[in-house]
Amino acid sequence: MAKQFDTIALVGIGLIGSSIAREIKDKGLAGSVVVSTRSDATLKRAEELKLGDRYTTSAADAVRDADLIIVSVPVGASGAVAAEIAANLKPGAIVTDVGSTKGSVIAQMAPHMPQGVHFIPGHPIAGTEYSGPDAGFIGLFKGRWCILTPLPETDETAKAKLRTFWETMGSMVDDMDAEHHDKVLAIVSHLPHIIAYNIVGTADDLEAVTESEVIKYSASGFRDFTRLAASDPTMWRDVCLHNKDAILEMLARFSEDLAYLQRAIRWGDGDKLFDLFTRTRAIRRSIIQAGQDTEMADFGRHAMDQK
Ligand code: NAP
């Protein structure tokens, strides 16, 4: 595949940054890749995995010659990273990020962006519950959406280049305004994680049922929540703190609907329960039809057991 950028700087090389690094290398998308991360340990691991061509713990140093800079750190750290790199950004460079919240990232990063630098926030809707440079893999973004939340003044040519970059990695790309992104993600991603953290925490706190029973009988449903509840604590702390308004709005709706369900159970209203469960089953079918999950029963676990 053709080279798209002379130099790409990756600031943050965990699950997302290292997946991007692997794709760039695999597809020959850059003349040179500079990897930067704050800790010596992660940097050493990135080097062992041969994720780049040059390695540094200084984000400011990493971006010096870069045409594309991809910031892949917890959203709460994006302002500090922007402040650190600002003075060294090359005119004409594209700066993007992969953070799970967009309004807060824009508020933190945009004020630091110098004139002539194209800042185009982004968010690949792809991930796993694992973190760090070893967790990344080729194919993470394939068939998954990447949402760009350009600012009104964003340069169309720069946006088209970033769009092509994500498409080359196998993603479909949508544009959205940041506020809408944060509402959509609050319901499709943030709320499910919060509910999962909560249910797993509740099970852990129960006195009447032992922890060993929860684990032993988890295949009845509980274990499906534990994948989400095993997600990175730093990342999810930051998501909750940085998409506060949209998450609280969705949680209020959720609590209302839960009360409705609670009432239907209390009053033995089987029709209400049946109607809701029929409606939700159809949503699962739509997700499979849209190619966003496997149609194999039990998320394909049975097929994996046979391997
Ligand atoms: P990760 O695997 O935990 O890697 C985090 C990276 O950020 C590491 O290089 C880490 O450096 C660095 N970092 C951590 N705290 C930092 C700080 N305070 N200042 C500067 N650098 C810091 O995380 P990830 O899963 O790749 O997530 C990165 C971003 O992608 C987040 O904004 C997240 O919201 C977004 N995202 C995640 C997923 C997902 O499923 N995981 C999906 C889509 C988007 P050291 O290791 O050197 O400390």
Side-chain angles (χ1 to χ4, degrees):
M1 240 166 258
K3 183 177 90 173
Q4 294 179 359
F5 295 92
D6 285 333
T7 303
I8 299 181
L10 301 174
V11 179
I13 196 75
L15 166 72
I16 302 295
S18 77
S19 294
I20 295 172
R22 287 171 169 93
E23 296 284 357
I24 294 171
K25 198 169 187 189
D26 181 60
K27 297 175 172 53
L29 302 181
S32 162
V33 175
V34 187
V35 170
S36 118
T37 188
R38 64 177 176 166
S39 74
D40 291 330
T42 304
L43 194 71
K44 182 165 174 277
R45 190 61 195 138
E47 199 164 354
E48 283 163 4
L49 293 166
K50 299 186 172 49
L51 295 174
D53 302 297
R54 187 163 81 77
Y55 302 86
T56 170
T57 48
S58 159
D61 173 40
V63 305
R64 208 175 291 279
D65 299 314
D67 311 287
L68 173 66
I69 296 97
I70 307 177
V71 177
S72 310
V73 302
V75 289
S78 48
V81 167
E84 191 188 341
I85 63 176
N88 285 359
L89 293 168
K90 204 166 83 167
I94 298 173
V95 177
T96 188
D97 79 305
V98 297
S100 305
T101 71
K102 295 274 60 89
S104 147
V105 165
I106 293 172
Q108 292 178 73
M109 292 186 73
H112 297 286
M113 292 297 123
Q115 279 285 334
V117 166
H118 308 294
F119 174 48
I120 312 172
H123 178 201
I125 313 297
T128 74
E129 65 276 35
Y130 297 108
S131 323
D134 285 283
F137 57 93
I138 288 176
L140 176 64
F141 309 112
K142 191 162 190 271
R144 301 285 170 256
W145 287 93
C146 178
I147 300 176
L148 301 180
T149 58
L151 307 175
E153 64 273 19
T154 300
D155 177 73
E156 286 300 321
T157 313
K159 198 172 86 184
K161 276 192 93 171
L162 187 60
R163 173 181 273 270
T164 303
F165 176 78
W166 279 108
E167 284 172 351
T168 313
M169 294 201 288
S171 289
M172 293 93 69
V173 181
D174 255 350
D175 274 15
M176 216 178 258
D177 76 67
E179 196 184 336
H180 189 62
H181 165 280
D182 288 353
K183 281 209 168 123
V184 172
L185 268 292
I187 188 66
V188 298
S189 171
H190 307 168
L191 204 61
H193 278 83
I194 290 165
I195 292 166
Y197 282 123
N198 192 56
I199 193 172
V200 175
T202 302
D204 194 40
D205 289 343
L206 286 178
E207 290 89 27
V209 181
T210 65
E211 193 180 314
S212 66
E213 284 172 315
V214 169
I215 291 167
K216 185 169 161 191
Y217 303 122
S218 62
S220 53
F222 183 72
R223 71 176 183 189
D224 289 344
F225 285 99
T226 60
R227 184 189 79 73
L228 294 181
S231 299
D232 190 73
T234 305
M235 169 184 161
W236 283 97
R237 176 203 62 197
D238 279 13
V239 168
C240 290
L241 298 179
H242 289 268
N243 197 21
K244 184 174 160 182
D245 293 344
I247 289 175
L248 289 178
E249 188 184 325
M250 293 306 164
L251 268 175
R253 282 292 297 265
F254 174 80
S255 305
E256 257 179 48
D257 292 344
L258 191 61
Y260 172 88
L261 198 57
Q262 209 172 347
R263 200 176 155 79
I265 296 169
R266 184 182 315 285
W267 294 99
D269 193 339
D271 288 346
K272 270 199 183 124
L273 297 175
F274 189 84
D275 286 350
L276 175 66
F277 301 163
T278 305
R279 195 149 56 87
T280 55
R281 190 175 220 193
I283 296 211
R284 169 87 194 143
R285 276 195 224 109
S286 311
I287 290 170
I288 293 163
Q289 275 161 15
Q292 295 303 305
D293 206 354
T294 172
E295 62 185 340
M296 281 188 281
D298 203 15
F299 303 103
R301 282 195 184 105
H302 184 65
M304 278 159 66
D305 290 347
Q306 310 291 306
K307 280 191 182 163

